[in-house]
Amino acid sequence: MTDSDYIATLSYEEKIIFLKIFCCLVRADGKIDADEISFLKNIAARYGVDNATIVGIIKEPHINYVAEAQKIRNRQHALQLVKEMCVLANIDNNLADAELDIVIDSARAMGVEDEKIVLINRWVLDSLILTKTGEVIMEQNNG
Amino acid sequence: MDKAELKHTLHSQFVPLAQAVEAKLQCLQDNDVFLSDAYAEDIDNYSDDDSLENAFNSTLSASSVPMYQTPKMEEIKNMQQTPQPTYVNEVPTTESINVHKQNIAAKIAALRGISMPGDYLRDNK
C-alpha cells in the first residue's frame, strides 16, 4: 500500500490522531529541526489538513499519545502510523529516549508487536539511507 | 521483549543519517555495481568453453527453465560436421567446364558435319 493509498483510507479523526502523535514526537527531544518541520508540513499537506490546525496541535500543551493511539483500530493504519513514527524519529541526527518511548508506547497501544516495530524501524532506516543517498547522487539536496 | 530491551534494539539500529549516507556513497564508489565479488570469481574460474557452457546450463536449470534451451557444445560441433547440403548439379570445376564445352562442341560439330570437335573449338576461340 503506497502512502497515497493509506492516506485515502484514513478518516479525518484518524488523520488528526496521526498528526497529534507526530507533534509529540517532534517535541520529544526538546528541539525541532528543519527536517522535522519539513516532515510535518509535508505530511499535513498530504493529509489535507491546513496549517492553522497543525499549528494548533503543535501548541497543545499536553497530548496523551497513548490514549490517542488506542483509538486506531485498523491494523493497516496502525502499521502505517508506526512507520511514519519511525521516519520522524530517525530523520534527524539524534534518536532520543523520549522519542523511542512514544514510538513503543503508541505501537503497543495499537496492538503492534515488538518484533514488528523492530522490522519496520530497520526497513525505514534502510529506505531513508537509500533515499538520501539517491538525493546526493542525483544532486537534489542542498548539502 | 521488555521495553528496555526493545529500546536497546532500536537504538542499536540507529545511525545518524548523514553518516550512513556517506558510508553508502563510499560503498557504491568502491564496489563494482554490476558484479558481486562471488560472481566475478566464478567467471575467472572458467578457462574453457565447455566448463563455462556447463556452468551456464546448470545455472539455467537451477532457476526457472526458459522456453529456449541453449544447445550443448557437442550439438553445435555435430552441426558443424554435418555435410553441407549438395547442389542438384555439382558445382562445376574448370575441368568439368572444359569437358562440357567439348561435349557441346562435338554435338555441334556432328550437326554441322565437322569431323573433329577440336576443330570447332580451335576455330571459335
Side-chain angles (χ1 to χ4, degrees):
Chain A
M1 185 183 279
T2 64
D3 279 358
S4 52
D5 287 343
Y6 93 81
I7 291 169
T9 65
L10 294 176
S11 66
Y12 184 78
E13 290 70 28
E14 284 176 318
K15 289 177 185 175
I16 298 298
I17 291 168
F18 274 43
L19 290 169
K20 283 183 176 180
I21 294 176
F22 297 155
C23 288
C24 289
L25 268 170
V26 164
R27 298 192 303 213
D29 59 1
K31 25 183 202 215
I32 303 177
D33 73 11
D35 276 334
E36 288 170 330
I37 296 285
S38 172
F39 175 85
L40 278 178
K41 276 183 167 176
N42 184 268
I43 210 155
R46 281 161 48 209
Y47 284 21
V49 173
D50 58 72
N51 286 342
T53 306
I54 283 287
V55 170
I57 293 172
I58 291 174
K59 288 181 174 175
E60 215 171 302
H62 177 73
I63 297 171
N64 186 338
Y65 54 84
V66 172
E68 294 294 336
Q70 280 171 341
K71 298 175 191 174
I72 303 292
R73 301 302 175 95
N74 181 292
R75 172 72 174 181
Q76 273 299 309
H77 297 170
L79 294 178
Q80 291 291 345
L81 179 53
V82 172
K83 185 203 83 179
E84 300 288 20
M85 285 195 290
C86 289
V87 169
L88 201 47
N90 288 291
I91 206 160
D92 58 12
N93 284 318
N94 173 48
L95 185 62
D97 233 43
E99 287 177 316
L100 285 180
D101 281 330
I102 294 172
V103 173
I104 293 169
D105 293 343
S106 301
R108 284 178 168 182
M110 294 186 291
V112 177
E113 307 78 14
D114 291 351
E115 292 76 14
K116 184 67 81 175
I117 300 170
V118 171
L119 276 176
I120 292 173
N121 192 58
R122 177 70 259 167
W123 169 55
V124 160
L125 272 164
D126 288 349
S127 302
L128 283 172
I129 291 167
L130 277 175
T131 301
K132 293 291 181 186
T133 304
E135 286 174 5
V136 171
I137 292 169
M138 299 305 288
E139 300 172 6
Q140 288 171 351
N141 67 347
N142 297 322
Chain B
M1 201 184 296
D2 73 25
K3 191 173 177 182
E5 195 183 332
L6 181 54
K7 282 172 87 167
H8 176 75
T9 302
L10 295 175
H11 259 300
S12 68
Q13 289 176 335
F14 179 76
V15 180
L17 212 48
Q19 189 181 320
V21 167
E22 200 177 318
K24 185 71 182 171
L25 283 167
Q26 193 62 50
C27 183
L28 289 173
Q29 284 163 358
D30 289 347
N31 291 313
D32 183 341
V33 297
F34 297 108
L35 291 173
S36 68
D37 289 342
Y39 186 54
E41 191 186 323
D42 283 346
I43 285 182
D44 288 342
N45 286 339
Y46 298 121
S47 56
D48 58 79
D49 287 344
D50 284 347
S51 59
L52 182 58
E53 172 71 14
N54 291 339
F56 181 65
N57 282 331
S58 67
T59 304
L60 276 178
S61 63
S63 60
S64 59
V65 179
M67 293 298 291
Y68 169 74
Q69 290 285 348
T70 308
K72 297 198 183 296
M73 194 57 73
E74 211 171 79
E75 290 169 2
I76 293 170
K77 285 176 182 168
N78 286 341
M79 282 192 280
Q80 289 168 344
Q81 286 165 4
T82 302
Q84 295 297 315
T86 54
Y87 297 97
V88 175
N89 300 310
E90 279 190 356
V91 177
T93 61
T94 306
E95 192 181 335
S96 68
I97 289 172
N98 287 338
V99 166
H100 188 60
K101 279 183 181 174
Q102 284 169 6
N103 291 339
I104 292 174
K107 287 179 184 174
I108 294 171
L111 289 170
R112 290 185 176 179
I114 300 170
S115 59
M116 298 290 287
D119 294 334
Y120 178 81
L121 284 174
R122 188 182 59 244
D123 296 340
N124 291 281
K125 266 187 192 168

